[in-house]
Amino acid sequence: MSGLVLGIETSCDETGVGLVRIDGNGRVTLLANEIASSVDEHARFGGVVPEVASRAHLQAMVPTVRRAMATAGVRPRDIDAVAVTAGPGLAGALLVGVAAAKAYAAAWDVPLYGVNHLTAHVAVDTVQHGPLPPALALLVSGGHSNLLDVPDLAGRITSIGATIDDAAGEAFDKVARLLGLPFPGGPHIDRMARDGDNAAIAFPRGLTGPRDAPFDFSFSGLKTAVARYVEALERVGRPIPVADVAASFQEAVVDVLTAKAVRAARERGMDTLLLGGGVAANSRLRALAQERCAAAGLALRVPRPALCTDNGAMVAALGAHLLAAGAKPSDLDLPCECVTAF
Amino acid sequence: MLVLAVDTATPAVTAGVVELPPDPAGPARTRAERVAHDARRHGELLMPSVLDACAEADVRLRNLDAIVVGTGPGPFTGLRVGMVTALALADALDVPVHGVCSLDAIAADAAATACGRFLVVTDARRREVYWAAYDEQARRQDGPHVEAPAALVERLSAPAAVAAAGGSAALTGLAVLEPASPSPRGLVTVAAAAVRAGASGAPPQPLYLRRPDAVESRSRKRVSTP
Ligand SMILES: [Zn+2]
């Protein structure tokens, strides 16, 4: 079944609204991907403040829907379904998007699909690269670090590993702060690291021992190691080699991420590795993943950066696959699954 | 005119269809309403309540002429459910949306039994209340404010209010009036002039009365222990 789907994403600090069309062959076309971000309001707090994000979602919700409709040039009666991130994410933030999605779906009298945020990060790749074969997905952002087994977008997706403490993006933010770089830290560390030596400092690789969980991640020990390194230099009044610290820290993160992802894909007999989430915009992560996938004979799929960060198109794309597969829509008493484990 | 009214500023999740006659002297009449009490499930309960009320009133969403929403003050997360639902419905149905102070809506109903000036007091959590003061005709004289009940009671030494309505009215020690939460009719009564005038102006804004809890980070936080 073909159709036009509106997707709403409010799990963190971006109010995202996307519109996609899916044809009878499962090909998804992106028509609009509008984002209102409250990131600047969070910068002075050094991290996302849930209440600030929720307030911004309320202000931005309807204007962002209107912008997406105008960009796509579609009318309300053209829309066949509304999809929304039901979790995981910040409870108060999710609630704004879910309530809005219910209202639009009811008013337009179309089905509502409450979707999983992580699965949506995977689904968005089909907008750029076409139908997805069974794949192993590595999702890394400020809110999550997961390895997912994705046999089929509309089917059963399982998390085979996740961070046991900080998300990868969170570690980037915290280390950026240690180095006096602005929030969000990812892009700044990436840029700074280009001038540094990624082997200058031997930072620890979390959970890589023979008895550790093979597909889980841990970044809090790494963050502490960077803090100790920086503070030790400060105590003796020596300058901090910011570029080397950034490069060595970044290498420690992407080394573990790519090694575990490639191993998981091979163990599970997958031919394809998919990268997603905001940290997938990191240039070193992309390069190392490419290198290791080539060596392992895996196809690597990475959506362009604008599709990797949280957005509405990813939700619309997943909704479109669910609609096409004839999945059962959600009820209008759909709760927010803010504590969903994966 | 057929008006949908929603309010989620109190533990009550309120939705109703109200008929407003074109004659300014004609009172608002409730066609159907749904009031659920679960402060933790505003998001789950509101939209089904809206549809249930519409079904009972035999009204389709697309036949609505306007939407009225309580803008609080109220605990933030719940308050936003009603606000965004009203804003999105209005956008999707292409009808005006009008915001009214939720305390004013309670006052509009309470005025029927108030013999003098009165207060409306609702739960603000964190051991505080939202309150506003009204004259006999439900015209707001003071507020809305958020503060501890003790601070409010101290102000009452001046012989002003004789009664209080709202979910936390009993904390004032004054005679308690109905209702405890806004009714659809109360909401539409407060917005009646705006609804009859038609077009809505700027989108309704929530009355938070409190700033978000957040500390600005100026200096670097030490992560390791020496
Ligand atoms: Zn995400």
Side-chain angles (χ1 to χ4, degrees), chain A residues 117 121 141 144 310:
Chain A
H117 178 83
H121 269 303
S141 76
H144 30 81
D310 291 350

Side-chain angles (χ1 to χ4, degrees), chain B residues 200-212:
Chain B
S200 47
Q205 294 298 316
L207 293 161
Y208 290 125
L209 306 193
R210 284 181 184 136
R211 301 169 70 83

Side-chain angles (χ1 to χ4, degrees), chain B residues 50-146:
Chain B
V50 166
L51 295 184
D52 285 353
C54 285
E56 189 189 313
D58 200 18
V59 168
R60 289 173 166 257
L61 284 174
R62 64 168 175 272
N63 298 132
L64 293 170
D65 297 302
I67 295 173
V68 173
V69 60
T71 57
F76 313 152
T77 304
L79 176 62
R80 278 188 288 265
V81 170
M83 295 280 313
V84 79
T85 299
L87 291 167
L89 279 174
D91 182 44
L93 300 167
D94 197 21
V95 297
V97 55
H98 307 277
V100 304
C101 170
S102 299
L103 303 182
D104 291 1
I106 294 175
D109 283 335
T113 52
C115 311
R117 303 180 64 163
F118 64 99
L119 305 176
V120 173
V121 190
T122 60
D123 185 10
R125 306 218 183 119
R126 302 185 200 175
R127 300 182 183 181
E128 290 188 317
V129 292
Y130 300 115
W131 70 272
Y134 296 85
D135 69 11
E136 306 70 351
Q137 272 131 50
R139 288 178 298 212
R140 187 169 1 121
Q141 308 293 306
D142 191 6
H145 302 289
V146 60

Side-chain angles (χ1 to χ4, degrees), chain A residues 9 11-12 88 117-118 121 139-144 276-278 308-311 314:
Chain A
E9 152 63 34
S11 68
C12 192
H117 178 83
L118 301 183
H121 269 303
L139 296 186
V140 270
S141 76
H144 30 81
C308 282
T309 45
D310 291 350
N311 64 78
M314 67 192 221

Side-chain angles (χ1 to χ4, degrees), chain A residues 47-62:
Chain A
V48 173
V49 181
E51 177 60 22
V52 172
S54 299
R55 290 185 181 193
H57 286 310
L58 176 59
Q59 295 302 321
M61 193 71 258
V62 168

Side-chain angles (χ1 to χ4, degrees), chain A residues 29-213:
Chain A
T29 314
L30 179 62
L31 304 178
N33 192 18
E34 296 293 327
I35 295 204
S37 177
S38 59
V39 66
D40 295 343
E41 295 172 56
H42 302 286
R44 65 200 166 100
F45 302 113
V48 173
V49 181
E51 177 60 22
V52 172
S54 299
R55 290 185 181 193
H57 286 310
L58 176 59
Q59 295 302 321
M61 193 71 258
V62 168
T64 312
V65 170
R66 283 192 185 165
R67 266 199 349 255
M69 305 273 286
T71 302
V74 301
R75 296 155 301 178
R77 64 170 174 274
D78 300 330
I79 290 171
D80 297 302
V82 174
V84 63
T85 300
L90 303 170
L94 287 167
L95 202 54
V96 175
V98 170
K102 289 176 180 178
Y104 280 109
W108 292 334
D109 200 14
V110 296
L112 170 76
Y113 290 100
V115 306
N116 181 286
H117 178 83
L118 301 183
T119 311
H121 269 303
V122 179
V124 77
D125 185 68
T126 62
V127 164
Q128 192 179 344
H129 298 121
L132 183 72
L136 200 290
L138 169 63
L139 296 186
V140 270
S141 76
H144 30 81
S145 303
N146 292 73
L147 281 171
L148 305 181
D149 186 325
V150 188
D152 169 14
L153 282 172
R156 182 113 198 95
I157 288 161
T158 47
S159 177
I160 63 170
T163 180
I164 59 166
D165 40 56
D166 293 346
E170 214 177 335
F172 272 91
D173 288 338
K174 288 175 177 171
V175 167
R177 206 163 136 193
L178 279 167
L179 297 175
L181 301 171
F183 171 86
H188 296 281
I189 292 207
D190 193 355
R191 209 168 303 126
M192 195 60 80
R194 281 172 209 165
D195 303 323
D197 173 4
N198 64 21
I201 309 146
F203 287 129
R205 269 61 170 164
L207 290 187
T208 50
R211 308 182 64 173
D212 289 329

